[in-house]
Amino acid sequence: MKKKLISLLLAGLMVLSLASCGDSSSSDTSTDSTDDTGAADSGEVFTLAWAHSSSTNDRLALATEKMAAELEEASGGRIVIEHYPASQLGAEREILEGVTLGTIDCAVISSGVVANFSNAIYITSMPYLIDDYETGWAVYDGEFGQELGKTTEEEAGWKWLGWCDNSLRIFSNSKREIQTPDDMKGLKIRTQENDLHMQIVNDLGASATPVNFSELYTALQQGTVDGQENGIALTYSMGFNEVVNYMTYYPHIYDPYIVVMSNDCWNRLPADLQELMAEYGAKYCQYEREFNQQNEEEYLQLMIDDGLQVYYPTDEQKQMFVDATADVENSVREKVGDELVDAYKAAVEQVKAA
């Protein structure tokens, strides 16, 4: 009986010692070495849970697999990424809560959800300012984007690793072609649970209806909502094109994904591995953007071939959308302050003028 009790106690202690960031040690600590950064290399293997809500064939998953393989090799096997796509660890809000609590190590999350944790992220919801990826990349890779990332660290309590592409958010629906805001009247459009996203949709005459991303296909299929406002890659990879018939190609938001890491996990890494995580977090963003751009070109044509009708508004019609949502800027100013709004608009104008 004593032997059984001792065995059970030892097993329990072993389980408690396995944290998500740093599951195991693979070498004798008596042979510790010191790397170029001066940090001790104990040979410990850090196994990091990396989560997002996109499907296994989406660019988030493809970029994760590519980055994870390279990071494991670059770290000499000391960092191993465990990949959890398709909301396996919960919906986006649940994943982000896990990051802030330290129960999930890394996450890639859409900005609409991040706004519940960091008020500053509402700035990304300014409509009809960025309508191409190159402008978005320049703004978020520049000084403005770097400062915004650091602000989210301070407000939410995580380690910010970078910005990558969620999408140029565009409207698609199952009911009719949308040429002007008048055509949106009476439509139920799914949005994230984000006040400003909802205001944009309501200002355009439709009815904003928040639905969890993992439930969106069913909501479209069953008619709970008539449409959605995601980008091309997600619309195709999640199969939404099977349940919508019309798309209006005029992006109302450039929506970045935020890549974040639990502070608990970050602080447990030795200095040399922190440098690698920062480096490969940036590489992940680059890979994801490349996959996203490739996918959008390919997927849009595939959806058109399958019968999706895509409408491109005229300049006059575009201005109607801009005018209808003009008061959203005031709402953003109320949430984040004039200084951040002015800095964002200045950053966009500077990029466009270059």
Side-chain angles (χ1 to χ4, degrees):
M1 180 64 72
K2 284 184 177 180
K3 289 183 177 179
K4 288 184 178 179
L5 287 173
I6 291 171
S7 296
L8 288 171
L9 287 170
L10 288 173
L13 288 171
M14 288 177 67
V15 169
L16 289 172
S17 70
L18 295 179
S20 60
C21 182
D23 282 355
S24 62
S25 179
S26 61
S27 68
D28 188 338
T29 55
S30 65
T31 60
D32 283 358
S33 61
T34 302
D35 60 25
D36 292 339
T37 67
D41 175 6
S42 65
E44 185 175 5
V45 175
F46 294 86
T47 302
L48 278 57
W50 180 288
H52 58 81
S53 292
S54 291
S55 66
T56 54
N57 66 331
D58 184 65
R59 77 274 194 217
L60 292 191
L62 297 175
T64 299
E65 294 297 330
K66 181 176 181 179
M67 179 275 296
E70 293 182 0
L71 176 57
E72 184 170 348
E73 181 178 358
S75 68
R78 294 166 62 205
I79 297 181
V80 177
I81 298 292
E82 286 189 347
H83 184 195
Y84 295 93
S87 301
Q88 291 179 27
L89 298 186
E92 283 193 314
R93 181 164 184 152
E94 296 168 324
I95 292 172
L96 206 47
E97 286 173 349
V99 171
T100 61
L101 293 172
T103 58
I104 296 175
D105 300 314
C106 304
V108 187
I109 303 292
S110 54
S111 61
V113 176
V114 179
N116 294 293
F117 298 78
S118 173
N119 196 66
I121 207 71
Y122 276 113
I123 193 65
T124 66
S125 298
M126 291 275 289
Y128 299 113
L129 284 181
I130 298 176
D131 58 5
D132 65 85
Y133 283 114
E134 289 75 11
T135 300
W137 299 338
V139 169
Y140 284 91
D141 287 345
E143 182 179 354
F144 173 84
Q146 302 304 299
E147 290 301 319
L148 181 62
K150 293 174 183 176
T151 299
T152 71
E153 289 183 338
E154 297 168 0
E155 292 184 346
W158 55 50
K159 175 64 181 177
W160 169 74
L161 296 178
W163 304 104
C164 56
D165 285 339
N166 185 343
S167 59
L168 293 168
R169 302 189 80 90
I170 51 182
F171 293 109
S172 59
N173 78 96
S174 60
K175 297 295 186 182
R176 56 180 173 268
E177 185 173 79
I178 296 172
Q179 296 186 5
T180 70
D182 283 343
D183 298 320
M184 295 188 66
K185 292 179 179 177
L187 295 179
K188 294 175 291 185
I189 303 295
R190 179 268 176 182
T191 67
Q192 298 172 321
E193 195 173 339
N194 178 300
D195 293 348
L196 296 177
H197 287 202
M198 295 171 68
Q199 182 180 348
I200 290 168
V201 170
N202 290 332
D203 282 357
L204 289 171
S207 176
T209 308
V211 174
N212 283 339
F213 183 74
S214 59
E215 301 169 1
L216 178 51
Y217 185 96
T218 301
L220 287 164
Q221 187 179 47
Q222 295 179 348
T224 306
V225 293
D226 302 312
Q228 53 118 26
E229 44 96 49
N230 278 301
I232 290 169
L234 272 182
T235 298
Y236 181 81
S237 66
M238 299 301 294
F240 299 149
N241 60 300
E242 299 168 2
V243 284
V244 298
N245 307 105
Y246 305 95
M247 176 179 286
T248 299
Y249 198 96
Y250 181 35
H252 50 286
I253 292 174
Y254 169 73
D255 194 8
Y257 275 120
I258 194 170
V259 185
V260 293
M261 184 174 184
S262 159
N263 269 338
D264 289 345
C265 186
W266 174 262
N267 291 332
R268 290 189 63 191
L269 295 178
D272 63 321
L273 295 189
Q274 287 182 344
E275 290 183 8
L276 275 180
M277 278 305 302
E279 177 184 350
Y280 280 84
K283 285 190 176 184
Y284 170 82
C285 293
Q286 184 60 41
Y287 297 156
E288 190 274 346
R289 289 173 179 178
E290 291 172 358
F291 280 121
N292 186 55
Q293 198 167 34
Q294 294 167 10
N295 288 349
E296 290 220 345
E297 294 172 1
E298 176 186 356
Y299 292 168
L300 181 59
Q301 189 58 52
L302 287 172
M303 290 191 291
I304 291 172
D305 292 344
D306 286 342
L308 181 70
Q309 298 183 42
V310 180
Y311 181 74
Y312 295 87
T314 65
D315 288 343
E316 182 180 358
Q317 290 169 336
K318 288 179 180 180
Q319 190 60 45
M320 294 179 187
F321 287 92
V322 173
D323 293 342
T325 57
D327 65 332
V328 176
E329 179 176 325
N330 291 329
S331 298
V332 179
R333 289 183 181 276
E334 290 175 2
K335 287 182 177 293
V336 306
D338 292 336
E339 184 177 351
L340 188 58
V341 172
D342 292 340
Y344 180 60
K345 293 179 71 174
V348 173
E349 290 172 6
Q350 182 176 7
V351 169
K352 288 185 174 181

